[in-house]
Amino acid sequence: MMRGEVRALCDFVPGAPPAWRLHNATVAAEVRASPQGLCLATLLDGARGSSWSGLGPMTYLSPAAAGSPEGWRLLDWSCQEEHGAVTLRASFARGGLLLVESLWLPPDLPVIRRWVELRNDGDEPVEVERYHLLDLLLEHDLRETPLELLYVEAFAGHRWDRWDPGDASFGVRRQVVAAGDAVRLPVGAYQQACSWAALRRRDGLGLV
């Protein structure tokens, strides 16, 4: 690495279970393989000195849909560097299901991008009845300071030929989230990708 060059790094931590530490100049995260799939262990924002720790699965599928009682088995993993960014890719199997978790960390931003692939490689169809992606308990009291929610509803997948910037399906919507509020972003028919959402403090600083 040249002097002054900024890079994101992925360090493998051998052990049982195996773990990986992704970090750059401002943010660090440790994830671990387990029978529950890929689990988030720690998340640190070095710029603000804030941190989260715990051990929760990043993807949860209802047991009736998972197809095997023994849990997820780590198949393989890889860390790839490109243009200073790093991507961790871990593959898990459970029965005939294949789960691929990918985490991308840029070299100089406090942002972690994540995407999940789920594929049925078995001979029988599998119905996923319920799932969720990552629970984080934030140390923030909404009773004292509400947050601003910015979100885009699930993208419609039936218009591949054009994109109209004025389409409400693609417009960023805003609302204030106070204590006791709940937000539901559904994924339904003709929708190609799930919804996108972010929270930030009212002073404009990002949170999630």
Side-chain angles (χ1 to χ4, degrees), residues 99-120:
L99 174 68
V100 182
E101 294 268 9
S102 299
L103 296 173
W104 176 83
L105 183 65
D108 54 358
L109 295 174
V111 172
I112 298 178
R113 181 187 178 195
R114 170 173 174 256
W115 62 97
V116 179
E117 303 170 52
L118 181 65
R119 188 173 74 234
N120 180 17

Side-chain angles (χ1 to χ4, degrees), residues 53-66:
S53 62
L55 191 61
M58 301 188 71
T59 300
Y60 173 81
L61 300 174
S62 63

Side-chain angles (χ1 to χ4, degrees), residues 59-66 118 127-133:
T59 300
Y60 173 81
L61 300 174
S62 63
L118 181 65
E127 181 180 356
V128 177
E129 299 173 347
R130 180 164 51 95
Y131 71 91
H132 70 247
L133 306 177

Side-chain angles (χ1 to χ4, degrees), residues 4-5 11 20 53 58 60 64 67 74 96 118 121 128 139 176 183:
E5 182 181 359
D11 301 325
W20 300 266
S53 62
M58 301 188 71
Y60 173 81
L74 179 65
L118 181 65
D121 288 340
V128 177
E139 297 181 358
V176 175
V183 180

Side-chain angles (χ1 to χ4, degrees), residues 141-162:
D141 192 347
L142 287 172
R143 294 170 298 182
E144 296 182 1
T145 309
L147 297 175
E148 185 177 21
L149 173 69
L150 299 92
Y151 67 95
V152 175
E153 294 183 345
F155 301 142
H158 59 281
R159 276 185 281 176
W160 292 95
D161 58 330
R162 65 184 178 85

Side-chain angles (χ1 to χ4, degrees), residues 6 81-85 107:
V6 179
E81 293 187 38
E82 185 176 7
H83 305 301

